[in-house]
Amino acid sequence: MFTGKHHCQSCNKETIHKEVLIRKPSSYDQQPTFLGRFKLLLHSFINGGHYYDMDRYIACQTCGQRKLDNKGSEFE
């Protein structure tokens, strides 16, 4: 797990932050039916969805505020 010091806008000082990875929503997430869930599972399995479509956030350990921190290009 990544931890490091970053400037927190909420605390207004340098605090320790940790990295949090959250899966981006898929178009199949909107389908609550069994077939929709099966398509989501199949899509994730084929495309490696566990690691392929992720957003990187850094979260302040003091106040818990998250900030989107995607860096670089998508396949870098």
Coordinates of all heavy atoms in Angstrom, one line a residue:
M1 N 0.8 -1.2 0.0 CA 0.0 0.0 0.0 C 0.9 1.2 0.0 O 1.9 1.3 0.7 CB -0.9 0.0 1.2 CG -1.8 1.2 1.3 SD -2.9 1.4 2.7 CE -2.9 0.0 3.5
F2 N 0.5 2.2 -0.8 CA 1.3 3.5 -0.9 C 0.8 4.4 0.2 O -0.3 4.6 0.5 CB 1.0 4.1 -2.2 CG 1.4 5.5 -2.3 CD1 2.7 5.8 -2.6 CD2 0.5 6.6 -2.2 CE1 3.1 7.2 -2.6 CE2 0.9 7.9 -2.2 CZ 2.2 8.2 -2.5
T3 N 1.8 4.9 0.9 CA 1.5 6.0 1.9 C 2.5 7.1 1.6 O 3.7 6.8 1.3 CB 1.6 5.6 3.3 OG1 2.8 5.0 3.6 CG2 0.5 4.6 3.6
G4 N 2.2 8.3 1.8 CA 3.1 9.4 1.6 C 2.5 10.7 2.1 O 1.3 10.8 2.5
K5 N 3.3 11.8 2.2 CA 2.8 13.1 2.6 C 2.4 13.9 1.4 O 3.1 14.0 0.4 CB 3.9 13.8 3.4 CG 4.1 13.2 4.8 CD 4.8 14.2 5.6 CE 4.8 13.6 7.1 NZ 5.1 14.7 8.0
H6 N 1.2 14.4 1.5 CA 0.6 15.3 0.5 C -0.1 16.5 1.2 O -0.4 16.4 2.4 CB -0.4 14.6 -0.4 CG 0.1 13.6 -1.2 ND1 0.8 13.8 -2.4 CD2 0.2 12.2 -1.1 CE1 1.2 12.7 -2.9 NE2 0.8 11.7 -2.1
H7 N -0.3 17.6 0.5 CA -1.0 18.7 1.1 C -2.5 18.4 1.0 O -3.1 18.1 0.0 CB -0.7 20.0 0.3 CG -1.4 21.2 0.9 ND1 -1.0 21.8 2.0 CD2 -2.5 21.8 0.5 CE1 -1.9 22.8 2.3 NE2 -2.8 22.8 1.3
C8 N -3.2 18.4 2.2 CA -4.6 18.2 2.2 C -5.3 19.6 2.2 O -5.0 20.4 3.0 CB -5.0 17.4 3.5 SG -6.8 17.1 3.7
Q9 N -6.3 19.7 1.3 CA -7.0 21.0 1.2 C -8.0 21.2 2.4 O -8.2 22.3 2.8 CB -7.7 21.1 -0.1 CG -6.8 21.2 -1.3 CD -7.5 21.2 -2.6 OE1 -8.7 20.9 -2.7 NE2 -6.8 21.4 -3.7
S10 N -8.5 20.1 2.9 CA -9.4 20.2 4.0 C -8.7 20.5 5.3 O -9.2 21.4 6.1 CB -10.1 18.8 4.1 OG -11.0 18.9 5.2
C11 N -7.6 19.8 5.6 CA -6.8 20.1 6.8 C -5.9 21.3 6.7 O -5.5 21.9 7.7 CB -5.9 18.9 7.1 SG -6.8 17.4 7.5
N12 N -5.6 21.7 5.4 CA -4.7 22.8 5.1 C -3.3 22.7 5.7 O -2.7 23.6 6.2 CB -5.3 24.1 5.5 CG -4.8 25.3 4.7 OD1 -4.2 25.1 3.7 ND2 -4.9 26.5 5.3
K13 N -2.8 21.4 5.6 CA -1.4 21.2 6.0 C -1.0 19.8 5.4 O -1.7 19.1 4.8 CB -1.3 21.1 7.5 CG -2.1 20.0 8.2 CD -2.0 20.1 9.7 CE -2.9 19.1 10.3 NZ -2.8 19.1 11.8
E14 N 0.3 19.6 5.5 CA 0.9 18.3 5.0 C 0.5 17.2 5.9 O 0.8 17.2 7.1 CB 2.4 18.4 4.9 CG 3.0 19.3 3.9 CD 2.9 18.6 2.5 OE1 3.2 17.4 2.4 OE2 2.6 19.4 1.5
T15 N -0.2 16.2 5.4 CA -0.6 15.0 6.2 C -0.3 13.7 5.5 O 0.0 13.8 4.3 CB -2.2 15.1 6.5 OG1 -2.9 15.1 5.2 CG2 -2.5 16.3 7.3
I16 N -0.4 12.6 6.2 CA -0.1 11.3 5.6 C -1.4 10.9 4.8 O -2.5 11.0 5.3 CB 0.3 10.3 6.7 CG1 1.6 10.7 7.3 CG2 0.4 8.9 6.1 CD1 2.0 9.8 8.5
H17 N -1.1 10.5 3.6 CA -2.2 10.0 2.7 C -2.0 8.5 2.3 O -0.8 8.1 2.3 CB -2.3 10.8 1.4 CG -2.9 12.2 1.6 ND1 -2.3 13.1 2.4 CD2 -4.1 12.7 1.2 CE1 -3.1 14.2 2.4 NE2 -4.1 14.0 1.6
K18 N -3.0 7.8 2.1 CA -2.9 6.4 1.5 C -3.6 6.4 0.2 O -4.4 7.2 -0.1 CB -3.5 5.4 2.5 CG -4.9 5.5 2.6 CD -5.4 4.4 3.6 CE -7.0 4.4 3.6 NZ -7.5 3.3 4.4
E19 N -3.2 5.4 -0.6 CA -3.7 5.2 -2.0 C -4.9 4.3 -1.9 O -4.8 3.2 -1.2 CB -2.6 4.6 -2.9 CG -3.1 4.4 -4.3 CD -2.0 3.9 -5.1 OE1 -1.4 2.8 -4.8 OE2 -1.6 4.5 -6.1
V20 N -6.0 4.6 -2.6 CA -7.2 3.8 -2.7 C -7.5 3.6 -4.1 O -7.6 4.6 -4.9 CB -8.4 4.5 -2.0 CG1 -9.6 3.6 -2.0 CG2 -8.0 4.8 -0.5
L21 N -7.7 2.4 -4.6 CA -8.1 2.1 -6.0 C -9.6 1.7 -6.0 O -10.0 0.8 -5.2 CB -7.2 1.0 -6.5 CG -5.8 1.3 -6.7 CD1 -5.0 0.0 -7.2 CD2 -5.6 2.4 -7.7
I22 N -10.4 2.3 -6.8 CA -11.8 2.0 -6.9 C -12.1 1.7 -8.4 O -11.7 2.5 -9.3 CB -12.6 3.2 -6.4 CG1 -12.3 3.4 -4.9 CG2 -14.1 2.9 -6.6 CD1 -13.0 4.6 -4.3
R23 N -12.9 0.7 -8.6 CA -13.2 0.3 -10.0 C -14.2 1.3 -10.6 O -15.1 1.8 -9.9 CB -13.9 -1.1 -10.0 CG -14.3 -1.6 -11.4 CD -14.9 -3.0 -11.3 NE -16.2 -3.0 -10.7 CZ -17.3 -2.7 -11.3 NH1 -17.3 -2.4 -12.6 NH2 -18.5 -2.7 -10.6
K24 N -13.9 1.7 -11.8 CA -14.8 2.7 -12.5 C -16.1 2.0 -12.8 O -16.1 0.8 -13.1 CB -14.1 3.1 -13.8 CG -12.9 4.0 -13.7 CD -12.3 4.4 -15.0 CE -11.1 5.1 -14.9 NZ -10.5 5.5 -16.2
P25 N -17.2 2.7 -12.8 CA -18.5 2.1 -13.1 C -18.5 1.6 -14.6 O -18.0 2.3 -15.5 CB -19.5 3.2 -12.9 CG -18.8 4.4 -12.4 CD -17.3 4.1 -12.4
S26 N -19.2 0.5 -14.8 CA -19.3 -0.1 -16.1 C -20.7 0.2 -16.6 O -21.6 0.4 -15.8 CB -19.0 -1.6 -16.1 OG -19.4 -2.2 -17.3
S27 N -20.9 0.1 -17.9 CA -22.3 0.2 -18.5 C -23.2 -0.9 -18.0 O -24.4 -0.8 -18.0 CB -22.2 0.3 -20.0 OG -21.7 -0.9 -20.5
Y28 N -22.6 -2.0 -17.7 CA -23.3 -3.2 -17.2 C -23.8 -3.0 -15.7 O -24.6 -3.8 -15.3 CB -22.5 -4.5 -17.4 CG -22.1 -4.8 -18.8 CD1 -20.8 -4.7 -19.2 CD2 -23.1 -5.0 -19.7 CE1 -20.5 -5.0 -20.5 CE2 -22.7 -5.3 -21.1 CZ -21.4 -5.3 -21.4 OH -21.1 -5.5 -22.7
D29 N -23.3 -2.1 -15.0 CA -23.7 -1.9 -13.6 C -25.1 -1.4 -13.5 O -25.7 -1.6 -12.4 CB -22.8 -0.8 -12.9 CG -21.4 -1.4 -12.6 OD1 -21.2 -2.6 -12.6 OD2 -20.5 -0.5 -12.5
Q30 N -25.6 -0.8 -14.5 CA -27.0 -0.3 -14.5 C -28.0 -1.3 -14.7 O -29.2 -1.0 -14.6 CB -27.1 0.8 -15.6 CG -26.1 1.9 -15.5 CD -26.1 2.6 -14.1 OE1 -27.1 2.9 -13.6 NE2 -24.9 2.9 -13.7
Q31 N -27.6 -2.6 -15.0 CA -28.6 -3.6 -15.3 C -28.7 -4.5 -14.1 O -27.9 -5.4 -13.8 CB -28.1 -4.4 -16.5 CG -28.0 -3.6 -17.8 CD -27.5 -4.4 -18.9 OE1 -27.3 -5.6 -18.8 NE2 -27.2 -3.8 -20.1
P32 N -29.8 -4.4 -13.3 CA -30.0 -5.2 -12.1 C -30.4 -6.7 -12.3 O -30.4 -7.5 -11.4 CB -31.0 -4.5 -11.3 CG -31.9 -3.8 -12.3 CD -30.9 -3.5 -13.5
T33 N -30.7 -7.0 -13.6 CA -31.2 -8.4 -13.8 C -30.0 -9.4 -13.8 O -28.8 -9.0 -13.7 CB -31.8 -8.5 -15.3 OG1 -30.8 -8.2 -16.2 CG2 -32.9 -7.5 -15.4
F34 N -30.4 -10.7 -13.7 CA -29.4 -11.7 -13.7 C -28.5 -11.7 -15.0 O -27.3 -11.9 -14.9 CB -30.1 -13.1 -13.6 CG -29.1 -14.2 -13.6 CD1 -28.3 -14.5 -12.6 CD2 -29.0 -15.0 -14.8 CE1 -27.4 -15.6 -12.6 CE2 -28.1 -16.1 -14.9 CZ -27.3 -16.3 -13.8
L35 N -29.1 -11.4 -16.1 CA -28.4 -11.4 -17.4 C -27.4 -10.2 -17.3 O -26.2 -10.3 -17.8 CB -29.3 -11.2 -18.5 CG -28.7 -11.2 -19.9 CD1 -27.9 -12.5 -20.2 CD2 -29.7 -11.0 -21.0
G36 N -27.8 -9.1 -16.8 CA -26.9 -7.9 -16.7 C -25.7 -8.2 -15.8 O -24.6 -7.8 -16.1
R37 N -25.9 -8.9 -14.6 CA -24.8 -9.2 -13.7 C -23.9 -10.3 -14.4 O -22.7 -10.2 -14.2 CB -25.4 -9.8 -12.4 CG -26.1 -8.8 -11.6 CD -25.1 -7.8 -11.1 NE -25.7 -6.6 -10.6 CZ -25.1 -5.5 -10.4 NH1 -23.8 -5.4 -10.5 NH2 -25.8 -4.4 -10.0
F38 N -24.5 -11.2 -15.2 CA -23.7 -12.2 -15.9 C -22.8 -11.5 -16.9 O -21.6 -11.8 -17.0 CB -24.6 -13.2 -16.5 CG -23.8 -14.3 -17.2 CD1 -23.1 -15.2 -16.5 CD2 -23.7 -14.3 -18.6 CE1 -22.3 -16.2 -17.2 CE2 -23.0 -15.3 -19.3 CZ -22.3 -16.2 -18.5
K39 N -23.3 -10.5 -17.6 CA -22.6 -9.7 -18.6 C -21.4 -9.0 -17.9 O -20.3 -8.9 -18.5 CB -23.4 -8.7 -19.4 CG -24.4 -9.4 -20.4 CD -25.2 -8.3 -21.0 CE -26.2 -8.8 -22.0 NZ -27.0 -7.8 -22.6
L40 N -21.7 -8.4 -16.7 CA -20.6 -7.7 -16.0 C -19.5 -8.6 -15.6 O -18.3 -8.3 -15.7 CB -21.2 -7.0 -14.8 CG -20.3 -6.3 -13.8 CD1 -19.6 -5.1 -14.6 CD2 -21.0 -5.8 -12.6
L41 N -19.9 -9.8 -15.1 CA -18.9 -10.8 -14.7 C -18.1 -11.3 -15.9 O -16.8 -11.3 -15.8 CB -19.6 -12.0 -14.1 CG -18.7 -13.2 -13.7 CD1 -17.8 -12.8 -12.6 CD2 -19.5 -14.4 -13.4
L42 N -18.7 -11.5 -17.0 CA -18.0 -11.9 -18.2 C -17.1 -10.8 -18.8 O -16.0 -11.1 -19.1 CB -19.1 -12.3 -19.3 CG -18.5 -13.0 -20.5 CD1 -17.8 -14.3 -20.1 CD2 -19.7 -13.3 -21.5
H43 N -17.6 -9.6 -18.7 CA -16.8 -8.4 -19.2 C -15.6 -8.3 -18.3 O -14.5 -8.0 -18.8 CB -17.7 -7.2 -19.2 CG -16.9 -5.9 -19.6 ND1 -16.4 -5.1 -18.7 CD2 -16.7 -5.4 -20.8 CE1 -15.8 -4.1 -19.3 NE2 -16.0 -4.3 -20.6
S44 N -15.7 -8.4 -17.0 CA -14.6 -8.3 -16.1 C -13.6 -9.4 -16.3 O -12.4 -9.2 -16.2 CB -15.1 -8.3 -14.6 OG -15.9 -7.2 -14.4
F45 N -14.1 -10.6 -16.5 CA -13.2 -11.7 -16.7 C -12.4 -11.6 -17.9 O -11.2 -11.8 -17.9 CB -14.0 -13.0 -16.7 CG -13.2 -14.2 -16.8 CD1 -12.4 -14.7 -15.8 CD2 -13.2 -14.9 -18.0 CE1 -11.6 -15.8 -16.0 CE2 -12.4 -16.1 -18.2 CZ -11.6 -16.5 -17.2
I46 N -13.0 -11.2 -19.0 CA -12.3 -11.1 -20.3 C -11.3 -10.0 -20.3 O -10.2 -10.1 -20.8 CB -13.3 -11.0 -21.5 CG1 -14.1 -12.3 -21.6 CG2 -12.7 -10.6 -22.8 CD1 -15.2 -12.2 -22.6
N47 N -11.7 -8.8 -19.8 CA -10.9 -7.6 -19.9 C -10.0 -7.4 -18.6 O -9.3 -6.4 -18.6 CB -11.8 -6.4 -20.0 CG -12.5 -6.3 -21.4 OD1 -11.9 -6.8 -22.3 ND2 -13.6 -5.8 -21.4
G48 N -10.0 -8.3 -17.7 CA -9.2 -8.1 -16.5 C -9.7 -7.0 -15.7 O -9.0 -6.1 -15.2
G49 N -11.1 -6.9 -15.6 CA -11.7 -5.7 -15.0 C -11.3 -5.4 -13.6 O -11.5 -4.3 -13.1
H50 N -10.7 -6.3 -12.9 CA -10.3 -6.0 -11.5 C -9.2 -5.0 -11.5 O -9.1 -4.2 -10.5 CB -9.8 -7.3 -10.8 CG -10.9 -8.3 -10.6 ND1 -11.7 -8.8 -11.6 CD2 -11.3 -8.9 -9.5 CE1 -12.5 -9.6 -11.1 NE2 -12.3 -9.7 -9.8
Y51 N -8.3 -5.0 -12.5 CA -7.2 -4.0 -12.5 C -7.2 -3.1 -13.7 O -6.4 -2.2 -13.8 CB -5.9 -4.8 -12.6 CG -5.8 -5.8 -11.4 CD1 -6.0 -7.1 -11.5 CD2 -5.5 -5.3 -10.1 CE1 -5.9 -8.0 -10.5 CE2 -5.4 -6.1 -9.1 CZ -5.6 -7.5 -9.2 OH -5.5 -8.3 -8.2
Y52 N -8.1 -3.3 -14.7 CA -8.1 -2.6 -15.9 C -8.8 -1.2 -15.8 O -8.2 -0.2 -16.2 CB -8.8 -3.4 -17.0 CG -8.9 -2.8 -18.3 CD1 -7.8 -2.6 -19.1 CD2 -10.1 -2.4 -18.8 CE1 -7.9 -2.0 -20.3 CE2 -10.2 -1.8 -20.1 CZ -9.1 -1.6 -20.8 OH -9.2 -1.0 -22.0
D53 N -9.9 -1.2 -15.2 CA -10.7 0.1 -15.1 C -10.7 0.6 -13.7 O -11.7 0.4 -13.0 CB -12.2 -0.2 -15.6 CG -12.2 -0.4 -17.1 OD1 -11.4 0.1 -17.8 OD2 -13.2 -1.1 -17.5
M54 N -9.6 1.2 -13.3 CA -9.5 1.6 -11.9 C -9.2 3.1 -11.8 O -8.5 3.6 -12.7 CB -8.4 0.9 -11.1 CG -8.6 -0.6 -11.1 SD -9.9 -1.2 -10.1 CE -9.1 -1.4 -8.6
D55 N -9.8 3.8 -10.8 CA -9.5 5.2 -10.5 C -8.6 5.1 -9.3 O -8.8 4.4 -8.3 CB -10.7 6.0 -10.2 CG -11.4 6.5 -11.4 OD1 -10.7 6.8 -12.4 OD2 -12.7 6.7 -11.4
R56 N -7.6 6.0 -9.3 CA -6.6 6.1 -8.1 C -7.0 7.3 -7.3 O -7.1 8.4 -7.8 CB -5.2 6.2 -8.6 CG -4.2 6.4 -7.5 CD -2.8 6.5 -8.1 NE -1.8 6.6 -7.1 CZ -1.3 7.8 -6.7 NH1 -1.7 8.9 -7.3 NH2 -0.4 7.9 -5.8
Y57 N -7.3 7.1 -6.1 CA -7.6 8.2 -5.1 C -6.5 8.2 -4.1 O -6.0 7.2 -3.7 CB -8.9 8.0 -4.5 CG -10.1 8.2 -5.4 CD1 -10.6 7.1 -6.1 CD2 -10.7 9.4 -5.5 CE1 -11.7 7.3 -6.9 CE2 -11.8 9.6 -6.3 CZ -12.3 8.5 -7.0 OH -13.4 8.7 -7.9
I58 N -6.2 9.4 -3.5 CA -5.4 9.5 -2.3 C -6.3 10.0 -1.2 O -7.1 10.9 -1.4 CB -4.2 10.4 -2.5 CG1 -4.5 11.7 -3.0 CG2 -3.2 9.7 -3.4 CD1 -3.3 12.7 -3.0
A59 N -6.3 9.3 -0.1 CA -7.2 9.6 1.0 C -6.3 10.1 2.2 O -5.4 9.5 2.6 CB -8.0 8.4 1.4
C60 N -6.8 11.2 2.8 CA -6.1 11.8 4.0 C -6.3 10.9 5.2 O -7.5 10.5 5.4 CB -6.6 13.2 4.2 SG -5.9 14.0 5.7
Q61 N -5.3 10.5 5.9 CA -5.5 9.7 7.1 C -6.1 10.5 8.3 O -6.6 9.9 9.2 CB -4.1 9.1 7.6 CG -3.5 8.2 6.6 CD -4.2 6.8 6.6 OE1 -5.4 6.7 6.6 NE2 -3.4 5.8 6.7
T62 N -6.0 11.8 8.3 CA -6.5 12.6 9.4 C -8.0 12.9 9.2 O -8.7 12.6 10.1 CB -5.7 14.0 9.4 OG1 -4.3 13.8 9.5 CG2 -6.2 14.8 10.6
C63 N -8.4 13.4 8.1 CA -9.8 13.8 7.9 C -10.6 12.8 7.0 O -11.8 12.8 7.0 CB -9.9 15.2 7.4 SG -9.3 15.4 5.7
G64 N -9.9 12.0 6.3 CA -10.6 11.0 5.4 C -11.0 11.5 4.1 O -11.7 10.7 3.3
Q65 N -10.7 12.7 3.7 CA -11.1 13.3 2.4 C -10.4 12.6 1.3 O -9.1 12.4 1.3 CB -10.9 14.8 2.3 CG -11.3 15.4 1.0 CD -11.1 16.8 1.0 OE1 -10.5 17.4 1.9 NE2 -11.5 17.5 -0.1
R66 N -11.1 12.2 0.2 CA -10.5 11.5 -1.0 C -10.3 12.5 -2.1 O -11.2 13.4 -2.3 CB -11.3 10.4 -1.5 CG -11.3 9.2 -0.6 CD -12.1 8.1 -1.3 NE -12.3 7.0 -0.4 CZ -13.1 6.0 -0.6 NH1 -13.9 6.0 -1.7 NH2 -13.2 5.0 0.2
K67 N -9.2 12.4 -2.9 CA -9.0 13.2 -4.0 C -8.6 12.4 -5.2 O -7.7 11.5 -5.0 CB -7.9 14.3 -3.7 CG -7.6 15.2 -4.8 CD -6.6 16.2 -4.3 CE -5.5 16.3 -5.4 NZ -4.4 17.2 -5.0
L68 N -9.2 12.5 -6.3 CA -8.9 11.8 -7.5 C -7.5 12.2 -7.9 O -7.2 13.3 -8.1 CB -9.9 12.0 -8.6 CG -9.7 11.3 -9.9 CD1 -9.9 9.8 -9.7 CD2 -10.7 11.7 -11.0
D69 N -6.6 11.2 -8.2 CA -5.2 11.4 -8.5 C -4.7 10.5 -9.6 O -3.7 9.8 -9.4 CB -4.4 11.3 -7.2 CG -3.0 11.8 -7.4 OD1 -2.8 12.9 -8.0 OD2 -2.0 11.2 -6.9
N70 N -5.4 10.4 -10.7 CA -5.0 9.6 -11.8 C -3.8 10.3 -12.5 O -4.0 11.5 -12.8 CB -6.1 9.4 -12.8 CG -7.1 8.4 -12.3 OD1 -6.9 7.6 -11.4 ND2 -8.3 8.5 -12.8
K71 N -2.7 9.6 -12.7 CA -1.6 10.3 -13.3 C -1.2 9.5 -14.5 O -1.3 8.3 -14.6 CB -0.4 10.2 -12.3 CG -0.6 11.1 -11.1 CD 0.6 11.2 -10.3 CE 0.4 12.1 -9.1 NZ 1.5 12.1 -8.2
G72 N -0.7 10.2 -15.5 CA -0.3 9.6 -16.8 C -1.4 9.2 -17.7 O -2.6 9.5 -17.4
S73 N -1.1 8.6 -18.8 CA -2.0 8.1 -19.7 C -2.6 6.8 -19.4 O -2.0 6.1 -18.5 CB -1.4 8.0 -21.1 OG -0.9 9.3 -21.6
E74 N -3.7 6.4 -20.0 CA -4.4 5.1 -19.6 C -3.5 4.0 -20.0 O -3.2 3.6 -20.1 CB -5.7 5.0 -20.4 CG -6.5 3.9 -19.9 CD -7.9 3.9 -20.5 OE1 -8.1 4.7 -21.4 OE2 -8.6 3.0 -20.2
F75 N -2.9 3.4 -20.4 CA -2.1 2.2 -20.7 C -0.6 2.5 -20.6 O 0.2 2.0 -21.3 CB -2.4 1.7 -22.2 CG -3.8 1.4 -22.3 CD1 -4.7 2.1 -23.1 CD2 -4.4 0.3 -21.7 CE1 -6.0 1.8 -23.3 CE2 -5.7 -0.1 -21.8 CZ -6.5 0.7 -22.6
E76 N -0.2 3.4 -19.7 CA 1.2 3.7 -19.5 C 1.9 2.8 -18.6 O 1.3 2.3 -17.7 CB 1.2 5.1 -18.9 CG 2.5 5.8 -19.2 CD 2.4 7.3 -18.8 OE1 2.4 7.5 -17.6 OE2 2.4 8.1 -19.7

